[in-house]
Structure formats: C-alpha cells, structure tokens
Amino acid sequence: MTCCLGTSRYALVLTLERDPEAATAAACLICLVPPVRFGAAGAGSGRPDPQLCVCAIRLRVGSERTRKPEGGEHPLCEADALVGSTNQIDFLTKLSDTRVLVTGGTSGLGRAMAQALVQAGARVALTSRDEERAQATAAEMGAGAVGIELDVRDPTSVSAAVDGAFGMLGGLDVLVNNAGIGMRTVNPRFMTEPQPFWEVTPAGFRDVLETKATGTFLVAQAVVSRMLSAGGGRVVTISMSEQTMTRRGFIPYGPSGAAVEALARVMAADLADTPVTANILLPGGATATGMIPDEMADELRGNLLDPSIMGPPIVWLASPDAAGVHDERIIARDFGQWLAAREKTNL
C-alpha cells in the first residue's frame, strides 16, 4: 500500500495507545494532528471526530479499513488506511537521531512544526523571546523538546541561544528559521482597515523587518557555520505567498517576507556544492494563528488553514528521504501532490 507521501513506510495509519480508550489518543500520521485536536466529540464517543483531521480522513478504530470520504477520493491520497495496533508502522522512530532548532516555536506555525517533529521522534529546541514561555511549551510537548530564550534581532542573544541548542542537543542537524511577528503589532485591524504605508511608524516597520529578515540572517549565519564545520546540515526557511508579500496594507509584514524569501534563495545559492542544504517552506494560504485579528468574520475564519498542515513537509524535510534536496520552494497545502510528482520523476 502506498500513500500520498510516496512510499509504504509513510502509509496512512493511526498510532493507538495500548488501552481500551486508545481511540481518543489517535493521531493521524499524515497531518500529524496531536490527540487533543480530535476534540470533545471524539472523547465522548470513544472514537476520534473525523471532521477535525486536517487531511479529512474518515476515521474508524479497530481492525477495519478507514474508507475514503463518500462521494470522492481522499484529498491527499488514493489509498485506504489501515487502522489498529496490528497494522502500525514504526513511523515515530524515523527522526530519533535528528536534532532540530525551531525559532519562534511557541505558537502558530512554529509550534505546529515543533510538535510534529517531536511526535516523529526528533529532539527539538524551540525558542521564544520569553524563556519561561519557551520552557513551558517544551514541557507540554514532552521529553523530546527543550525551550531556549532567543531574541533573533540581537546577535548576542542569537550566539547564546545557538550555543545552548548545540550544547543541549549535542549538535544540530536541522534549522527551521521561523521566528517572526505579524501585522497585528503594527495595525491590529489590518484585515478590515488596511493602513497605508505612510501611516506606519518607523519603529513598527523596523521591529517586523528586524525580527523576520535580520533574525533569519543572524540565526542562519550562526548555525550554518557550525553545520559546515560538522560536515552537514539542513536549513528550512519559512516563507509566505507572493500575494501576501505585495498585499495592500501589509507593510511591513509583506516586504519583510519578500526579504526573507530572497535571503533564503541567496543562501541556497551560496550553499550549492556544500554539505548543507537549504529549502523554503510555506503554508500556502492564511493560517489560523495568533497573527489573525480577533474580529475576522466567522465565514472567513473557516477558510483558514490549520497550522498543523506544516507537519508533514517539515518532518519529511528533516528525514533521510530528503537527503540532497536543495533550493526547493515547498507549499505545505500542496505537499502531497508535490512529493508524488517528485517520486514519479525520480523513478
């Protein structure tokens, strides 16, 4: 059996705890949604709520097959899924020797990626400007995570945090350059009342740009130099859609994202023919994170992507299967199709 991730070892299965209430602890190994995301409906009925799985699988617990949604194919995969302990695949040990630094890992996309990596068996150092918040978030994720204080705008803080990550994890194999702040810090009502650039304060512009662009540069510089000395590593830069980069009222967030993507492309060019790879990953649309204003209409909020959509591609990019993958721009929303096309090309 093969799935949208291209090989049978990524088969669409559920990991169930060995107890009578195992159904409430199921986690889809494609979208890597943690158990809590299945909600009260699942807990109350003794089975997961099929509507809350990002990849929209209809879940049934036991030895049966999990069927495709009625009226159409599974959106990511043409394979049925096998469910139950007798059909498990040891997916969660895949990244057991992988050490990852995720900047901005306490909320939004960063938290979702850190969680997915920990669930896949990686050891993850996640960062925040607030040390207590970083450590509390890491504690929630379990023994595979550690929290580190980091202000990506400050070279001294970057140096100390990178030293700490290397010390705690014994090295780094993957850097996920994700830290950033959004439009809410400049204009809390940016979705409903766009602010023209001439009304943006210099301090607001500088803070967003320094956090996203300067921070990406400083952390990559500190980490990659060590990766080169160690003989290898991977850098994943989190970007945004081109529409967001140039959207009306999105200064400074849009231009800062454009700067990050250009920086990532240049880093990839500089790293060509070295043992360190560099790739870009973006969600592929607006996501339901704290960067979204509270007053967004419910009908619009319903169209937001779940941050956990970043789980499958970031786990794959950290895995042995992504060895040698370099200078790619991967859209998480289309990851299944992208990987399937890649697999066909490499046959």
Side-chain angles (χ1 to χ4, degrees):
M1 180 178 68
T2 62
C3 75
C4 60
L5 294 189
T7 59
S8 59
R9 62 179 172 277
Y10 286 108
L12 214 53
V13 297
L14 303 178
T15 299
L16 304 180
E17 294 180 354
R18 296 178 181 274
D19 62 67
E21 301 300 319
T24 64
C28 171
L29 291 185
I30 288 299
C31 62
L32 298 179
V33 176
V36 69
R37 299 305 299 273
F38 286 99
S45 63
R47 65 179 58 194
D49 180 347
Q51 302 305 316
L52 295 185
C53 179
V54 166
C55 60
I57 304 170
R58 301 276 180 180
L59 303 177
R60 289 190 295 174
V61 177
S63 60
E64 305 175 9
R65 286 183 180 270
T66 297
R67 301 299 181 187
K68 304 169 190 175
E70 295 180 5
E73 293 181 345
H74 185 284
L76 295 181
C77 181
E78 295 183 355
D80 285 337
L82 295 177
V83 180
S85 60
T86 59
N87 299 310
Q88 289 181 34
I89 291 177
D90 192 17
F91 182 88
L92 297 185
T93 62
K94 186 172 182 59
L95 301 182
S96 59
D97 297 324
T98 305
R99 303 157 298 182
V100 187
L101 173 62
V102 180
T103 66
T106 60
S107 62
L109 302 183
R111 182 182 180 119
M113 290 185 289
Q115 181 73 67
L117 288 161
V118 170
Q119 288 179 334
R123 297 165 59 204
V124 178
L126 57 90
T127 77
S128 170
R129 292 182 187 178
D130 184 329
E131 183 177 16
E132 290 185 2
R133 183 179 180 184
Q135 292 178 349
T137 302
E140 292 173 6
M141 293 185 186
V146 296
I148 298 177
E149 179 182 4
L150 169 61
D151 183 345
V152 296
R153 303 167 299 178
D154 179 5
T156 301
S157 178
V158 169
S159 178
V162 171
D163 284 345
F166 270 84
M168 291 179 185
L169 302 181
L172 279 179
D173 303 297
V174 182
L175 165 64
V176 182
N177 236 336
N178 167 76
I181 54 177
M183 278 299 302
R184 292 186 70 172
T185 63
V186 178
N187 176 17
R189 302 179 65 84
F190 69 94
M191 291 295 291
T192 55
E193 299 176 13
Q195 184 181 47
F197 71 89
W198 58 86
E199 294 181 5
V200 175
T201 67
F205 184 94
R206 187 177 300 111
D207 193 22
V208 173
L209 191 67
E210 288 185 355
T211 302
K212 290 185 68 64
T214 303
T216 295
F217 163 73
L218 290 174
V219 176
Q221 183 183 57
V223 171
V224 168
S225 60
R226 295 193 183 203
M227 286 180 170
L228 290 169
S229 296
R234 303 178 190 182
V235 178
V236 181
T237 302
I238 306 307
S239 187
M240 63 180 67
S241 68
E242 293 178 1
Q243 292 90 336
T244 301
M245 295 177 191
T246 58
R247 183 171 178 172
R248 176 191 175 202
F250 267 50
I251 287 178
Y253 185 69
S256 70
V260 167
E261 180 138 344
L263 175 62
R265 287 296 193 187
V266 175
M267 288 193 301
D270 287 348
L271 288 168
D273 302 319
T274 78
V276 176
T277 61
N279 294 284
I280 294 170
L281 175 63
L282 60 150
T287 53
T289 69
M291 292 186 180
I292 299 298
D294 297 332
E295 68 272 12
M296 174 178 274
D298 290 342
E299 58 269 23
L300 295 178
R301 191 173 291 276
N303 293 327
L304 297 175
L305 298 174
D306 192 293
S308 59
I309 199 171
M310 301 290 278
I314 197 61
V315 169
W316 183 81
L317 282 166
S319 75
D321 291 323
V325 175
H326 181 67
D327 200 16
E328 295 284 351
R329 186 177 192 265
I330 299 171
I331 301 173
R333 181 194 60 205
D334 303 326
F335 175 63
Q337 294 91 324
W338 177 88
L339 190 55
R342 178 182 175 82
E343 291 286 336
K344 290 180 180 178
T345 300
N346 292 337
L347 289 178

